[in-house]
Structures are given as structure tokens and as C-alpha cells.
């Protein structure tokens, strides 16, 4: 079956791509973390640009710590999602690409991506709140926003979840067909 051979090659290419992308993301996260440690001004600039904050912020050890923890959770979820996608493509490149294993990894990846999308919305709100909690009364900010990128990522993750469910059913049908032949 030439189509399965092509699927295996593409899956191996995607696994390599995910690995390179994950490495670049990890290097960028480490660089940004080290850069933000160099001074409060660097951290404030990074946060202001990353979250489009115009309000005054008060950098305290608590606000910086909360920001670092929330960002760490978000990146952890992203790397978990990338790992699941990497495993999914590894399963596609294996002996039986149309089995239950890639479907399970796709479902896990989609759940992780849903958490990344939700975490982006909630995390942004909590970070802005943490960075302004040291401000004087009347200058604290609670900003809740959902952008089109957030909605698009959520939609893609939900489509991915449904495709994983379809693949589970297809793998079960394939196993039933093998029993007849």
C-alpha cells in the first residue's frame, strides 16, 4: 500500500518537525526567563508587550512569582500537548497506523490543547490581576478578554478531539473487519 508508506514518511517528518519546534520553544522560554531575571525593567517590558498591558504595574516578589508560576503552567501544558502530538505521529509511523494508539494520542493532545487555550484566557486574567495587586486603591486591574486567536485555537482543539473520537471508532471497525477475514 503506497498510501500507508507515504503516511509513515510524512509522520516521521512531522515527528522531526515537532521535535525541532519543541526545542526552539524550550530554548526561547529559557532565554526569555533568563532575560527577565536580568532586571525588573526587562521583566516589566516583556510582560507589558506580551500581554498588551497599558495600566501601571507594581512588581513585587509575589506578583513576579505568580506570573512565573502561571507562565510555567502554560508552557508545561503546551509541551505536554506537543509530546502527545509527537507520540501520535510516532504511532502513525509504526506498523499499524490505523490502530487505536494514534487515536488515543490525538485525543490526549486535543485535551492538552483545550487546556492551553483555556489557560491562555484564564492565565492572562490572573497575571494582570497579580501584576496590579500592589497598585494603590483604584488602580488595580481585572481584565478578562477572549481574542479571536483564543477562539480559533479552541475550535481547532475541539475539531482535533472529534477526529480522535472518529479514529477510535474507525480502529474498532477495522479490528472487527479483521475478525471476519
Amino acid at each position: 500500500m503506497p498510501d500507508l508508506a507515504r503516511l509513515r514518511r510524512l509522520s516521521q517528518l512531522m515527528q522531526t518537525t515537532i521535535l525541532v519546534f519543541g526545542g526552539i520553544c524550550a530554548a526561547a522560554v529559557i532565554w526569555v526567563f533568563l532575560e527577565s531575571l536580568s532586571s525588573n525593567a526587562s521583566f516589566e517590558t516583556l510582560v507589558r508587550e506580551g500581554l498588551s498591558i497599558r495600566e501601571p504595574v507594581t512588581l513585587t516578589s509575589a506578583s513576579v512569582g505568580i506570573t512565573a508560576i502561571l507562565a510555567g503552567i502554560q508552557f508545561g501544558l503546551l509541551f505536554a500537548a506537543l509530546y502527545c502530538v509527537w507520540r501520535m505521529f510516532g504511532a502513525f509511523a509504526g506498523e499499524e497506523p490505523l490502530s487505536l494508539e494514534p487515536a488515543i494520542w490525538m485525543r490526549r493532545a486535543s485535551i492538552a490543547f483545550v487546556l492551553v487555550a483555556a489557560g491562555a484566557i484564564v492565565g492572562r486574567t490572573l497575571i494582570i490581576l497579580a501584576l496590579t495587586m500592589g497598585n494603590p486603591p483604584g488602580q488595580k486591574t481585572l481584565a478578562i478578554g477572549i481574542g479571536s486567536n483564543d477562539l480559533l485555537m479552541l475550535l481547532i482543539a475541539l475539531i482535533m478531539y472529534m477526529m480522535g473520537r472518529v479514529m477510535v471508532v474507525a480502529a474498532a471497525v477495522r479490528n472487527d473487519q479483521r475478525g471476519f477475514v
Side-chain angles (χ1 to χ4, degrees):
M1 285 189 175
D3 290 333
L4 287 181
R6 185 175 179 182
L7 174 66
R8 287 185 181 105
R9 281 194 313 276
L10 285 173
S11 295
Q12 290 168 344
L13 177 65
M14 285 303 298
Q15 248 192 325
T16 303
T17 303
I18 295 293
L19 198 59
V20 169
F21 178 75
I24 291 170
C25 283
V29 166
I30 291 169
W31 179 79
V32 166
F33 178 73
L34 294 175
E35 180 69 24
S36 67
L37 288 178
S38 66
S39 71
N40 278 350
S42 296
F43 180 78
E44 185 175 348
T45 301
L46 176 73
V47 171
R48 282 187 178 283
E49 289 176 4
L51 298 174
S52 301
I53 300 175
R54 291 169 191 52
E55 297 81 13
V57 297
T58 303
L59 295 180
T60 63
S61 58
S63 66
V64 172
I66 290 169
T67 300
I69 289 169
L70 291 172
I73 291 169
Q74 189 69 6
F75 285 117
L77 288 171
L78 176 63
F79 288 122
L82 289 176
Y83 173 75
C84 291
V85 171
W86 182 77
R87 290 289 308 261
M88 177 190 72
F89 283 119
F92 279 137
E95 287 297 315
E96 186 57 52
L98 303 176
S99 67
L100 188 60
E101 185 183 7
I104 289 170
W105 283 110
M106 179 182 272
R107 188 171 58 213
R108 289 176 182 167
S110 65
I111 291 169
F113 280 124
V114 167
L115 292 174
V116 168
I121 296 166
V122 173
R124 185 179 319 115
T125 300
L126 293 176
I127 287 172
I128 292 172
L129 185 60
L131 291 172
T132 61
M133 72 181 172
N135 289 355
Q139 292 186 2
K140 293 174 176 59
T141 303
L142 175 63
I144 301 171
I146 300 174
S148 58
N149 287 340
D150 299 323
L151 293 175
L152 182 61
M153 183 171 179
L154 190 60
L155 176 64
I156 291 170
L158 291 172
I159 290 169
M160 192 175 175
Y161 180 79
M162 285 306 302
M163 291 308 300
R165 299 293 299 192
V166 168
M167 287 177 58
V168 167
V169 171
V173 168
R174 185 172 169 97
N175 282 338
D176 284 346
Q177 288 177 342
R178 282 192 188 142
F180 294 126
V181 176

Short mmCIF file of all heavy atoms in Angstrom, two decimals, residues 25 28-29 32 68 70-81 116:
data_model
loop_
_atom_site.label_atom_id
_atom_site.label_comp_id
_atom_site.label_asym_id
_atom_site.label_seq_id
_atom_site.Cartn_x
_atom_site.Cartn_y
_atom_site.Cartn_z
N CYS A 25 11.03 26.21 20.99
CA CYS A 25 10.17 26.79 22.04
C CYS A 25 10.85 26.72 23.40
O CYS A 25 10.82 27.69 24.16
CB CYS A 25 8.83 26.07 22.10
SG CYS A 25 7.69 26.52 20.81
N ALA A 28 13.58 29.26 23.56
CA ALA A 28 13.01 30.61 23.67
C ALA A 28 12.51 30.87 25.09
O ALA A 28 12.72 31.96 25.64
CB ALA A 28 11.88 30.80 22.66
N VAL A 29 11.85 29.88 25.68
CA VAL A 29 11.35 30.04 27.05
C VAL A 29 12.51 30.24 28.02
O VAL A 29 12.46 31.13 28.88
CB VAL A 29 10.49 28.82 27.46
CG1 VAL A 29 10.23 28.80 28.96
CG2 VAL A 29 9.18 28.81 26.70
N VAL A 32 13.97 33.78 27.44
CA VAL A 32 13.09 34.82 27.98
C VAL A 32 13.17 34.82 29.51
O VAL A 32 13.24 35.87 30.14
CB VAL A 32 11.63 34.62 27.49
CG1 VAL A 32 10.65 35.45 28.30
CG2 VAL A 32 11.53 34.95 26.02
N ALA A 68 5.43 34.00 37.08
CA ALA A 68 6.33 32.92 36.67
C ALA A 68 5.64 31.56 36.79
O ALA A 68 5.77 30.71 35.90
CB ALA A 68 7.61 32.95 37.50
N LEU A 70 2.35 30.91 36.73
CA LEU A 70 1.30 30.78 35.72
C LEU A 70 1.88 30.56 34.32
O LEU A 70 1.36 29.76 33.54
CB LEU A 70 0.39 32.02 35.74
CG LEU A 70 -0.49 32.16 36.99
CD1 LEU A 70 -1.19 33.50 37.00
CD2 LEU A 70 -1.50 31.02 37.06
N ALA A 71 2.96 31.27 34.01
CA ALA A 71 3.62 31.07 32.71
C ALA A 71 4.20 29.67 32.63
O ALA A 71 4.12 29.01 31.58
CB ALA A 71 4.70 32.13 32.50
N GLY A 72 4.77 29.20 33.73
CA GLY A 72 5.32 27.84 33.75
C GLY A 72 4.25 26.78 33.52
O GLY A 72 4.47 25.80 32.79
N ILE A 73 3.10 26.96 34.13
CA ILE A 73 1.98 26.03 33.92
C ILE A 73 1.56 26.04 32.46
O ILE A 73 1.34 24.97 31.85
CB ILE A 73 0.80 26.38 34.84
CG1 ILE A 73 1.16 26.07 36.30
CG2 ILE A 73 -0.46 25.62 34.44
CD1 ILE A 73 0.17 26.62 37.31
N GLN A 74 1.46 27.23 31.89
CA GLN A 74 1.03 27.34 30.49
C GLN A 74 2.03 26.65 29.56
O GLN A 74 1.63 25.92 28.65
CB GLN A 74 0.86 28.83 30.12
CG GLN A 74 0.24 29.07 28.79
CD GLN A 74 -1.23 28.67 28.71
OE1 GLN A 74 -1.86 28.31 29.69
NE2 GLN A 74 -1.77 28.72 27.52
N PHE A 75 3.32 26.90 29.78
CA PHE A 75 4.31 26.25 28.93
C PHE A 75 4.35 24.74 29.18
O PHE A 75 4.57 23.96 28.25
CB PHE A 75 5.69 26.87 29.13
CG PHE A 75 5.83 28.22 28.48
CD1 PHE A 75 6.07 29.34 29.25
CD2 PHE A 75 5.68 28.37 27.12
CE1 PHE A 75 6.18 30.59 28.66
CE2 PHE A 75 5.78 29.61 26.52
CZ PHE A 75 6.03 30.73 27.29
N GLY A 76 4.12 24.32 30.40
CA GLY A 76 4.05 22.89 30.69
C GLY A 76 2.92 22.22 29.91
O GLY A 76 3.10 21.13 29.36
N LEU A 77 1.76 22.87 29.88
CA LEU A 77 0.63 22.34 29.11
C LEU A 77 0.96 22.29 27.61
O LEU A 77 0.62 21.32 26.93
CB LEU A 77 -0.62 23.18 29.34
CG LEU A 77 -1.28 23.06 30.70
CD1 LEU A 77 -2.37 24.12 30.87
CD2 LEU A 77 -1.86 21.67 30.90
N LEU A 78 1.62 23.33 27.13
CA LEU A 78 2.00 23.35 25.71
C LEU A 78 2.96 22.21 25.38
O LEU A 78 2.78 21.51 24.38
CB LEU A 78 2.62 24.69 25.34
CG LEU A 78 3.14 24.80 23.90
CD1 LEU A 78 2.01 24.64 22.90
CD2 LEU A 78 3.87 26.11 23.70
N PHE A 79 3.95 22.01 26.24
CA PHE A 79 4.91 20.93 25.98
C PHE A 79 4.26 19.56 26.12
O PHE A 79 4.60 18.63 25.39
CB PHE A 79 6.15 21.07 26.87
CG PHE A 79 7.03 22.21 26.45
CD1 PHE A 79 7.34 23.23 27.34
CD2 PHE A 79 7.53 22.31 25.16
CE1 PHE A 79 8.14 24.30 26.95
CE2 PHE A 79 8.31 23.37 24.76
CZ PHE A 79 8.62 24.37 25.66
N ALA A 80 3.29 19.42 27.01
CA ALA A 80 2.54 18.16 27.13
C ALA A 80 1.76 17.90 25.84
O ALA A 80 1.73 16.77 25.32
CB ALA A 80 1.60 18.20 28.32
N ALA A 81 1.14 18.95 25.29
CA ALA A 81 0.39 18.81 24.04
C ALA A 81 1.33 18.43 22.89
O ALA A 81 1.02 17.55 22.09
CB ALA A 81 -0.34 20.10 23.71
N VAL A 116 -4.57 24.39 27.05
CA VAL A 116 -3.70 25.52 26.69
C VAL A 116 -4.54 26.73 26.31
O VAL A 116 -4.26 27.86 26.76
CB VAL A 116 -2.73 25.13 25.53
CG1 VAL A 116 -2.04 26.36 24.97
CG2 VAL A 116 -1.71 24.11 26.00
#
